[in-house]
Amino acid sequence: MKDTLLKIKAEALSAITQDGADLEALRIRYLGKKGELTAVLRGMGKLSAEERPVIGQIANEVREAIENELVQRAQVQKAAELDRRLAAEKIDVTVPGTEIAVGHIHPLDRVQRDMEEIFIGMGFDIVEGPEVEYDYYNFQALNIPPDHPARDTQDTFYITDNILLRSQTSPVQARTMEKRKPPIRIISPGRVYRSDAMDATHSPLFHQMEGLVVDKNVTMGDLKGTLEMFAKKMFGEDTKVRFRPHHFPFTEPSAEVDVSCFACGGKGCRLCKGEGWIEILGAGMVHPNVLRICGIDPEEYSGFAFGMGIERVTMLKYHIDDIRHLYENDIRFLAQF
Ligand code: PHE
């Protein structure tokens, strides 16, 4: 019996120390309830009283030896597994990284956001209106009845007799005055459409930003101060503003507004075509007819409005000489901003 025990011990230890041995399976095989050692111990009942403690002691030693070896090998296997994983997952932190190309805001969007920030800073809200618009808001509510010659200046895309693609952002003025009570102080950026052939300065789709202020005692001075503040923030502190008389059906008086050339400071250069001034927007005092049509009493309230092309400001600011660059999404162009 002693020989059997020692043989089991020798076999077990050699099996356990094998590389990659399945330790749990070996534990069951040697020490489990139906294991080899247990089977031998069952036979101890047949031994004599003198033999029993001797064999019992050997059996305990064998069990202990196998148990210890199992524990030790488990640790060795765990360490080996950790080493293997560390080697497999090793990262060389000295390898240079791959540069990730970062996109940026489109210049047209950049300028629109800059404009919005400036007017928000002066207490204006942003209001949006529909691009598919009624003739009523695009023209009639703006003091341009059917057959009015001013319609010819804006080559409008009609969808039906009374539905069109808005040719300006001014219909948002009318919509806002209908809905809100003064004081009103809004800007409205967005797409507008005109049936113009595409060339370096024209596009059938472009962007405008409208401005509207209505309150008691609003004057031309307020309009001038607001636009002066805008021009300084947009083009630089030294920028001056000039009003030239003009005509729009929905404002009276009306003006075209120039800023002093921010490239040459007014001396005259290529950008301002030697003028020293650059036209950037149309503006005026809201016509009493427009206030009345929109439900605001012109005896009690007055207002001013202005509208400017976002493409135009973008092209001036970034010296872009062809409007098509803004729509073609040529990465070689866009990457310059
Ligand atoms: N809507 C005019 C245009 O498109 C610009 C404008 C807006 C003029 C507001 C005066 C007041 O030309």
Side-chain angles (χ1 to χ4, degrees):
M1 201 158 198
K2 180 181 168 187
D3 289 345
T4 316
L5 285 172
L6 294 179
K7 196 172 148 235
I8 288 173
K9 177 181 167 187
E11 263 178 35
L13 294 189
S14 112
I16 291 166
T17 48
Q18 216 104 108
D19 264 351
D22 183 346
L23 299 179
E24 183 54 16
L26 291 172
R27 192 188 61 75
I28 292 166
R29 173 165 164 201
Y30 292 107
L31 305 181
K33 276 205 189 92
K34 292 175 185 163
E36 292 184 24
L37 189 62
T38 320
V40 174
L41 294 181
R42 282 221 182 85
M44 278 188 37
K46 296 183 196 130
L47 296 176
S48 67
E50 298 88 63
E51 276 176 316
R52 213 173 290 157
V54 180
I55 295 297
Q57 199 190 343
I58 294 171
N60 279 339
E61 279 168 19
V62 169
R63 164 178 294 276
E64 249 173 63
I66 294 174
E67 274 172 352
N68 285 342
E69 194 61 29
L70 281 169
V71 170
Q72 255 183 33
R73 284 309 290 183
Q75 276 165 8
V76 170
Q77 281 189 5
K78 220 169 129 186
E81 168 65 10
L82 185 63
D83 284 346
R84 193 192 59 71
R85 276 185 49 199
L86 286 176
E89 293 170 17
K90 187 168 75 178
I91 295 172
D92 182 353
V93 292
T94 66
V95 172
T98 19
E99 199 184 334
I100 296 167
V102 180
H104 60 272
I105 296 168
H106 191 281
L108 199 53
D109 225 8
R110 176 76 273 149
V111 166
Q112 181 177 324
R113 290 189 199 186
D114 289 349
M115 289 175 160
E116 288 173 359
E117 282 303 312
I118 293 169
F119 284 107
I120 287 169
M122 291 194 269
F124 285 69
D125 292 339
I126 298 179
V127 174
E128 291 194 341
E131 291 169 31
V132 176
E133 183 56 284
Y134 290 107
D135 182 284
Y136 176 78
Y137 289 111
N138 197 79
F139 291 125
Q140 294 168 50
L142 297 172
N143 203 29
I144 311 175
D147 302 324
H148 191 286
R151 290 182 177 232
D152 295 345
T153 65
Q154 305 191 355
D155 298 309
T156 311
F157 287 114
Y158 276 87
I159 293 169
T160 68
D161 278 352
N162 60 2
I163 297 176
L164 45 74
L165 295 179
R166 66 178 179 185
S167 61
Q168 49 187 352
T169 42
S170 301
V172 185
Q173 285 186 39
R175 285 178 171 275
T176 305
M177 285 188 273
E178 258 187 6
K179 271 203 289 280
R180 294 198 192 177
K181 287 211 174 326
I184 293 169
R185 215 186 284 134
I186 60 131
I187 50 166
S188 185
R191 296 189 191 106
V192 300
Y193 302 83
R194 290 185 196 180
S195 170
D196 283 327
M198 193 95 194
D199 64 21
T201 53
H202 294 85
S203 160
L205 181 165
F206 61 104
H207 299 73
Q208 283 188 337
M209 180 171 305
E210 194 78 7
L212 172 71
V213 171
V214 182
D215 202 352
K216 287 184 173 144
N217 306 315
V218 174
T219 67
M220 196 89 175
D222 296 319
L223 169 61
K224 202 162 181 198
T226 303
L227 293 180
E228 230 163 53
M229 174 75 97
F230 165 74
K232 286 184 194 300
K233 293 245 186 284
M234 194 72 204
F235 301 111
E237 277 306 315
D238 298 329
T239 310
K240 290 190 221 12
V241 170
R242 174 173 89 171
F243 279 46
R244 280 179 292 104
H246 197 70
H247 174 263
F248 297 104
F250 35 90
T251 47
E252 178 58 34
S254 302
E256 272 190 333
V257 179
D258 302 340
V259 291
S260 55
C261 180
F262 41 85
C264 64
K267 287 195 281 291
C269 67
R270 247 187 55 171
L271 188 73
C272 59
K273 302 196 177 74
E275 295 281 328
W277 295 93
I278 298 174
E279 184 216 317
I280 59 158
L281 55 83
M285 301 306 291
V286 181
H287 198 293
N289 285 352
V290 176
L291 292 172
R292 211 172 290 119
I293 293 169
C294 298
I296 292 175
D297 180 1
E299 301 296 330
E300 197 182 351
Y301 293 103
S302 56
F304 65 74
F306 55 87
M308 64 186 127
I310 303 177
E311 276 81 353
R312 180 156 170 77
V313 174
T314 307
M315 290 169 72
L316 289 167
K317 206 169 160 158
Y318 292 115
H319 303 268
I320 297 166
D321 58 6
D322 193 320
I323 197 170
R324 288 168 287 202
H325 287 312
L326 293 173
Y327 310 123
E328 280 164 0
N329 287 331
D330 185 331
I331 203 79
R332 291 167 302 181
F333 168 76
L334 293 176
Q336 298 172 48
F337 299 93

